[in-house]
Amino acid sequence: MKKIIRSILIILIFFCTICSNLVRGQMYVPKAPKKIYPIQDYAGVLSKKQIEKLNIKLISYSKRTSTEILVPIIQSLHGEDPNLFASQWGEKWKIGKFHKNNGIVILLSIYDRKVSIQNGYGIEPYLTDFLTMKIIKKMKPILKNNLYYQAIDYGTQEIFQILKKKYQKKQSNKVFSAWSLLTNISLFLIMFFLFYFFFMKKTTDASLCTLFLTNFLFRNQNYRHDHDDNFDGFGEGGNFGGGGSSSSW
């Protein structure tokens, strides 16, 4: 009887071990949304206002530099390696620009109290393992106080400084071309004569006409909208595994 009980216990222990290993390997990167925003708070530790502020900051940075920084916040890693999981997330969601692979993932696991910074191959020459660990060390005291917004804000700002003047987007329409200048002058002359014959003869307010034409000629040609309506979402690159670091807080 004792042998039977012992055998049953051994089988149960073996079965529990297999189940435990299966659970440990069942942590998958979620499916990417249709429009990928920088902050992905699955743990619910940030307020809506904090998420909005961080999204505006990181979207604006991406528009200026083309570098995409994704911040997934999860409850638990379920035994997964934070570096590997963050890299897989960047790969699956294709964070970074096509051919540049300049994506960065800052992963926070709240229950495990772990943080990982992983980057695409295009970022590797600038954001090294040493620098990512240096950033994490400075984030840890903030994370220990459960100040997640402040930690993310600080970490991303440090990355901005390290990557300063890297992957800067070319600013178009900054200088008048000869063709555009001639076009504007021609339009100016045409409108001047039109206003002279059809408007100036009927009114003595010459200053109003002059002001209108001057504003037309020197209107702002570089006006750009940086609102959310012009944000298409992250996800064109990928190719992670170019280095990074992780630690517990």
Side-chain angles (χ1 to χ4, degrees):
M1 185 70 178
K2 289 182 179 180
K3 288 183 178 180
I4 295 173
I5 294 173
R6 186 180 298 175
S7 299
I8 293 171
L9 287 173
I10 292 171
I11 292 170
L12 286 172
I13 291 169
F14 179 72
F15 179 76
C16 289
T17 303
I18 293 174
C19 289
S20 176
N21 289 331
L22 286 172
V23 169
R24 283 171 64 90
Q26 284 183 344
M27 186 63 184
Y28 297 106
V29 175
K31 184 180 178 182
K34 290 183 179 179
K35 192 172 185 179
I36 301 174
Y37 283 89
I39 305 299
Q40 300 290 324
D41 184 12
Y42 293 91
V45 296
L46 299 176
S47 67
K48 288 183 178 180
K49 189 173 182 179
Q50 289 173 336
I51 292 172
E52 184 180 4
K53 282 184 176 181
L54 290 171
N55 274 332
I56 290 172
K57 174 183 177 179
L58 296 178
I59 289 170
S60 176
Y61 179 72
S62 175
K63 287 181 178 181
R64 292 196 314 270
T65 67
S66 80
T67 300
E68 298 180 353
I69 302 176
L70 182 78
V71 185
I73 308 171
I74 59 175
Q75 284 285 0
S76 174
L77 286 160
H78 296 285
E80 295 288 347
D81 177 79
N83 288 335
L84 180 60
F85 194 64
S87 293
Q88 288 175 345
W89 205 310
E91 285 272 358
K92 185 173 180 180
W93 284 25
K94 301 183 183 300
I95 303 304
K97 292 300 181 185
F98 187 61
H99 287 319
K100 290 185 178 181
N101 299 313
N102 54 339
I104 301 170
V105 174
I106 303 175
L107 175 71
L108 298 181
S109 179
I110 305 304
Y111 178 79
D112 305 292
R113 301 180 73 84
K114 289 184 178 181
V115 54
S116 175
I117 300 177
Q118 298 295 310
N119 48 260
Y121 284 107
I123 295 291
E124 184 180 6
Y126 316 112
L127 192 61
T128 62
D129 296 358
F130 172 78
L131 290 173
T132 53
M133 182 53 73
K134 189 176 179 181
I135 295 171
I136 288 173
K137 281 183 178 179
K138 291 183 179 180
M139 290 175 64
K140 284 168 67 173
I142 309 173
L143 290 168
K144 284 180 180 179
N145 291 318
N146 299 328
L147 301 173
Y148 304 112
Y149 168 80
Q150 290 82 348
I152 296 166
D153 188 52
Y154 172 81
T156 52
Q157 198 62 42
E158 286 292 297
I159 291 173
F160 292 175
Q161 290 300 316
I162 293 169
L163 299 181
K164 198 173 183 180
K165 296 183 180 179
K166 308 297 184 194
Y167 292 108
Q168 293 292 332
K169 277 189 174 180
K170 293 180 180 179
Q171 297 298 324
S172 58
N173 300 323
K174 288 292 181 183
V175 181
F176 279 102
S177 66
W179 176 253
S180 64
L181 183 60
L182 288 172
T183 303
N184 281 322
I185 291 173
S186 300
L187 288 171
F188 174 83
L189 293 172
I190 291 169
M191 294 199 70
F192 176 83
F193 285 112
L194 286 173
F195 269 82
Y196 179 80
F197 287 106
F198 296 101
F199 182 74
M200 291 289 287
K201 289 183 178 180
K202 297 180 181 180
T203 182
T204 58
D205 194 0
S207 61
L208 180 63
C209 179
T210 304
L211 179 63
F212 175 83
L213 292 172
T214 303
N215 287 337
F216 171 79
L217 179 62
F218 296 105
R219 68 192 186 279
N220 186 1
Q221 305 234 354
N222 300 314
Y223 182 77
R224 295 183 300 118
H225 293 281
D226 286 327
H227 301 299
D228 181 64
D229 291 340
N230 288 336
F231 175 63
D232 297 326
F234 286 175
E236 293 179 6
N239 288 334
F240 274 67
S245 305
S246 66
S247 182
S248 300
W249 73 77

